[in-house]
Amino acid sequence: MTERPNSLHASDIAHSMHPYTNMRAHEEKGPMIITKGDGVRVHDDQGKEYIEALAGLWSVAVGFSETRLADAAYEQLKRLPYYHSFAHKAHEPSIRLAEKLAEMAPEGMNRVFFNNSGSEANDTVVKMAWFLNNGLGRPEKKKFLARNKGYHGITIASGSLTGLPGNHKDFDLPAIPVTHLTCPHYWRWGENGESEAQFTARLLKELEDTIEREGPETIAAFIGEPVMGAGGVMLPPEGYWPGVEAICRKHDILLVSDEVINGFGRLGTTWGCQKMGFTPDILVTSKQLTSSYMPLAAIIVNDRVYDAIADNSAKLGTFGHGFTGSGHPVACAVGLENLAIIEERDLMGNAARLEEVFQSGLRKFADHPLVGQVRGTGLIAGLELAKNRETKESFAPAGSMAPRVVAACADEGLIVRAVYETVALCPPLIVTEADVAEIHARLGRALDRVLAEVRAEGLL
């Protein structure tokens, strides 16, 4: 990145602590300062334009300049800028948004609890599971099952559910009782000579064996993303999710669908669980709920979960959990308008219609010398880089090549994200076929530039 010696650049280095960042490296490198956005494009402080092909952080469904969301926020700020929802208080935006989410949710899921982020929401899910099991007289039913490479947030409980080493190391996580199962990604974790069906069967057996070893009476819930996002855009093998659901039902284990990335059309369906063929007890959503114009997340639960929580709150006199910003009126007003735009413009349908164009264009890179595998569905995809496609050997040091490609993409005017050795893409739902073609072109030029460098360095 070109050095930008201006006051904002210097001030950021002097005062800001950035998430998911090597802070010492940031002192040397400095920030890319984004100053404005327009549709699927953003601009930096040097006037350079980029296609934002990760939708910010998997989240800006309607693009970066939707005035209807700004107007919705402004009107709500003028009318009622803040109120809480503690102790029987309510306001119209949160009531209407809860009603809308219940209407959109899978059948039987009618109750909504608002949070400020996906991390807070999954943290709340843990507390809900503990609370309801205590209320049901099952104080030992507290353990969680999650997956390696899964991502569920970064608070103490949700960070424990996350299955990524970088989110655990030196944070003393996991800090709650959780078992991480094999990542359901056949290309990377399938054994030699093992078919995809055999891989699925092995993972389901692992789940059954784990439940039997730990004791089903001790396990509260299984949590997973229908399609893994921040772990590297990994799709489950056929039959995996219906198998997981059947096992959870058999052992009375709550099934939690983390739809923070998958929800509201990212996969071409309203929810990822619908595309993957399962029905959860609890569904968690955020990001595209407001297109991240305002912080907001929601937990949607079925009637069985609600009744157990409500009954225990009656015993104790309260459900002693909540946030100052739970169901914030401005965030909920923006969420309502955002969902209206998604429906009016059929943006979920747009994701479904453009899926083949988007995915087939990326699959053309499957034979590129830097690429091990191309994978994706709907408008989300990942290119996993590998030194040797057949053996799946990574470039050394592992995790170093994807950032090089991402940097080259930025030089080409394309913002994507490095997830270990995967280059992840997730454009706004408003993306057009012409935008998709330009994403492919800029990505191709970046891959070729890095390939030339790698060959010149004798790394390939």
Side-chain angles (χ1 to χ4, degrees), residues 25-40:
H26 185 73
E27 293 169 8
E28 299 297 323
K29 186 176 183 178
M32 173 193 287
I33 300 175
I34 301 300
T35 58
K36 65 178 181 177
D38 182 15
V40 301

Side-chain angles (χ1 to χ4, degrees), residues 346-403:
D346 191 23
L347 296 186
M348 291 187 279
N350 189 54
R353 287 186 294 273
L354 287 181
E355 176 176 21
E356 178 55 30
V357 174
F358 181 64
Q359 300 294 342
S360 63
L362 293 174
R363 286 195 296 271
K364 291 178 181 177
F365 298 116
D367 294 328
H368 193 281
L370 294 180
V371 176
Q373 189 196 37
V374 178
R375 52 184 179 260
T377 187
L379 289 181
I380 187 170
L383 282 71
E384 184 163 343
L385 309 182
K387 185 175 183 179
N388 186 311
R389 188 178 302 121
E390 300 305 317
T391 65
K392 302 166 192 172
E393 177 191 0
S394 297
F395 287 91
S400 63
M401 192 54 63

Side-chain angles (χ1 to χ4, degrees), residues 323-334:
F323 305 94
T324 301
S326 291
H328 193 288
V330 179
C332 288
V334 170

